[in-house]
Amino acid sequence: MAIVGRPNVGKSTLFNRLIRKRKSITDPTPGVTRDPVSETTILGNRKLEVIDTGGLTESREFLDRLITQRSFSAMEQADVLVFVLDVTELTPEDEEFINRLRQFRDRLILAVNKVDNPTRELEAYNFLSLGFDSVFPLSAAHGAGVEELVEEILRRIPQLPVPERISEDGNDQESQINRVTADKESESDGFDISIALLGQPNTGKSTLINRLTGADTSIVSPVAGTTRDVVQGSFEYKQRTFRILDTAGIRRKSRVEEDLEYYSVNRAFKSIEDADVVILMIDVDKGLVEQDKKIAAQIVKKGRGVVLAANKWDTLEDTPNTLRAVTDRIRFLFPVLEFAPILPLSALEGQGIPKLLNTVIQLRTQLEKRIDTGTLNNALARWIERTPPPQNKKHRWKLRYITQVSKHPVQFILFVNKTKGFPESYLGYIRNSIRREFGFTNIPISVELRDRR
Ligand code: GDP
Ligand code: GDP
């Protein structure tokens, strides 16, 4: 993998972040000549060589010596080229680069650097107009967006296993540290899942935790050495470590204290923030309260996965009609969670627990999914053809293109000719099409509109 771009766009800064060291020298003076620097590192579960093509030139003779022989051969050999631009300025040198890089088009990833704030993020998407089909905004200096870039790099390079030993010179330990956080996100088995277990007092949260983390269950076993004090319990299931985060109302305190904690919605909000998936416990014999709705709205806003656990199912007569009745009632009360699975559960007797955990794993997988821009836009063209946007004399709505800007939470940006007054129902159609076609069936997704004339 090689990092390319004109001087001063932040290549060395990015290089250092990827290899987690201060090797190449970042220099604020443009045009400082450096030879390509290379380093072997581990990204995700792959070992790869990262090359910073460095100072390609003296600025005076820039266009002539744009691509020195050594840098050029580095590019020819690389599986992936990360082409870096600076969001704050696009220069003639950049355009020259774009022309020269055309021959490597299918190996090129566009990274727009110095995206240090949200306004610049929007500006970064303008770079799509240079003819790239996706863009990775990032701040090499602060780390934002680097994880997403790493994932894209990993998607593009051929699958190579990580060797047992990285090198013969005792470098292993260092290489371990070099792992960028994305390895936690990789699709491999064994990722951790953080659960926030929320619900009114007395719905059965402690009973469920005891069952999951207690020694008297067959499918789960306690994990030793839980250190973080925000973790209420952890256990393993299907080779994954599940952590139940410390959530309001779980601790064994006096009932009064516990109630007070529950009503501290802020605390519940905090645990939603920290979680991958929320299990919202509902006592099927009781109603729902305002707080449950606030929590539901927050889960959607934060784009977390959520399962509605209809607990104490053992107190009902278990028939298909019962399930339908309970489901209807919950759907009616939680319209914002229309996508969330509703699962019957008896924390006390243990029925429904494997299904609950399997569902949590599924949601987590959906949260991690990323659809590439090309695929999305092909689909968008089909959806528009099947059902064109409403047209009238005043408005001719046009959809330009769509891109997934993040996963976990899963967010898309849809560029349209005019956002103002864009028909909500059509946006809903697009959102549902994304859900159905790409399998984001049970998690909240957001599709934001942006103007692009
Ligand atoms: P290179 O010549 O392409 O290798 O660029 P460097 O990595 O040396 O960076 C050039 C300048 O841009 C340095 O002053 C960096 O500190 C600065 N820089 C790099 N990344 C960022 C970033 O994400 N945000 C901002 N604001 N500055 C950055
Ligand atoms: P928490 O306040 O949400 O932690 O709720 P607890 O776990 O303390 O449970 C409250 C009460 O509900 C206790 O008496 C539990 O035994 C009971 N309970 C919990 N889960 C179930 C269940 O699945 N079925 C039945 N029948 N009772 C349950």
Side-chain angles (χ1 to χ4, degrees), residues 7-288:
N8 226 33
V9 289
K11 294 183 301 300
S12 314
T13 311
L14 176 62
F15 177 81
N16 287 332
R17 193 167 274 282
L18 294 179
I19 65 160
R20 284 285 158 97
K21 253 198 275 189
R22 313 223 110 258
K23 177 155 179 176
S24 69
I25 301 149
T26 56
D27 194 312
T29 334
V32 173
T33 309
R34 291 190 311 262
D35 279 331
V37 186
S38 109
E39 182 86 359
T40 299
T41 188
I42 301 230
L43 293 179
N45 56 354
R46 323 269 178 88
K47 179 184 167 187
L48 81 164
E49 192 184 8
V50 181
I51 301 164
D52 173 6
T53 55
L56 291 169
T57 178
E58 311 271 349
S59 52
R60 256 178 305 128
E61 301 154 42
F62 192 86
L63 295 179
D64 289 343
R65 301 180 53 200
L66 184 65
I67 293 169
T68 64
Q69 204 44 50
R70 288 183 66 182
S71 300
F72 196 77
S73 63
M75 288 186 208
E76 278 188 314
Q77 282 160 29
D79 291 311
V80 176
L81 297 172
V82 175
F83 174 44
V84 185
L85 290 175
D86 177 341
V87 71
T88 62
E89 59 171 349
L90 191 67
T91 69
E93 292 96 312
D94 289 320
E95 284 167 18
E96 183 65 23
F97 251 102
I98 292 169
N99 286 333
R100 300 259 188 143
L101 290 172
R102 242 176 252 290
Q103 58 179 304
F104 302 120
R105 204 190 159 77
D106 46 341
R107 288 188 261 153
L108 214 55
I109 298 173
L110 174 63
V112 176
N113 190 34
K114 310 198 186 178
V115 178
D116 304 334
N117 60 50
T119 319
R120 288 186 174 182
E121 182 167 350
L122 286 186
E123 288 162 13
Y125 288 105
N126 291 333
F127 286 72
L128 282 169
S129 63
L130 296 170
F132 291 85
D133 59 19
S134 59
V135 54
F136 291 81
L138 66 107
S139 170
H142 304 116
V146 172
E147 227 174 89
E148 286 78 8
L149 175 67
V150 166
E151 261 166 46
E152 180 68 11
I153 294 168
L154 294 176
R155 256 182 9 88
R156 305 268 199 116
I157 60 173
Q159 187 94 33
L160 296 172
V162 179
E164 283 289 291
R165 286 181 59 81
I166 305 305
S167 65
E168 296 307 315
D169 58 14
N171 238 351
D172 305 37
Q173 222 183 349
E174 198 170 49
S175 303
Q176 291 305 315
I177 301 164
N178 282 350
R179 279 166 188 273
V180 169
T181 46
D183 70 357
K184 166 176 130 244
E185 322 273 315
S186 65
E187 294 290 56
S188 66
D189 265 5
F191 50 77
D192 288 2
I193 301 182
S194 298
I195 294 175
L197 184 55
L198 297 176
Q200 296 171 58
N202 231 22
T203 49
K205 297 182 297 297
S206 310
T207 308
L208 179 64
I209 289 192
N210 290 341
R211 200 163 249 289
L212 292 171
T213 61
D216 59 338
T217 57
S218 52
I219 56 159
V220 291
S221 63
V223 176
T226 304
T227 49
R228 288 168 54 211
D229 62 358
V230 294
V231 174
Q232 179 78 11
S234 38
F235 58 94
E236 282 187 355
Y237 175 68
K238 292 199 168 166
Q239 286 128 48
R240 287 167 176 89
T241 304
F242 287 70
R243 293 170 207 289
I244 299 181
L245 304 174
D246 179 21
T247 51
I250 292 177
R251 286 191 176 152
R252 288 283 92 173
K253 292 186 180 164
S254 78
R255 206 85 248 183
V256 174
E257 268 182 291
E258 201 169 69
D259 286 1
L260 285 174
E261 270 187 1
Y262 182 76
Y263 287 102
S264 150
V265 173
N266 282 342
R267 205 164 143 215
F269 279 18
K270 175 78 178 74
S271 62
I272 292 170
E273 192 106 22
D274 294 337
D276 298 313
V277 176
V278 179
I279 297 178
L280 187 52
M281 286 288 252
I282 297 166
D283 181 338
V284 289
D285 297 325
K286 301 248 162 61
L288 294 159

Side-chain angles (χ1 to χ4, degrees), residues 402-431:
I402 186 165
T403 186
Q404 182 176 354
V405 288
S406 81
K407 60 181 193 52
H408 205 316
V410 174
Q411 294 175 320
F412 299 85
I413 292 185
L414 175 61
F415 294 88
V416 299
N417 63 334
K418 194 161 175 251
T419 52
K420 195 156 175 266
F422 191 87
E424 187 52 45
S425 59
Y426 198 74
L427 184 59
Y429 162 69
I430 297 294
R431 195 185 296 116

Side-chain angles (χ1 to χ4, degrees), residues 309-369:
N311 194 34
K312 309 196 185 180
W313 199 259
D314 54 284
T315 62
L316 303 178
E317 201 193 335
D318 188 8
T319 70
N321 280 338
T322 319
L323 183 57
R324 197 168 319 120
V326 170
T327 305
D328 285 351
R329 187 164 51 124
I330 295 174
R331 291 276 181 241
F332 177 73
L333 290 164
F334 285 109
V336 295
L337 296 185
E338 52 167 14
F339 54 84
I342 299 174
L343 301 176
L345 177 73
S346 172
L348 195 63
E349 297 179 0
Q351 286 111 1
I353 289 181
K355 175 93 193 194
L356 179 67
L357 297 181
N358 292 337
T359 304
V360 169
I361 293 173
Q362 273 171 22
L363 296 188
R364 163 72 203 239
T365 306
Q366 289 183 20
L367 285 168
E368 292 300 318
K369 204 183 298 197

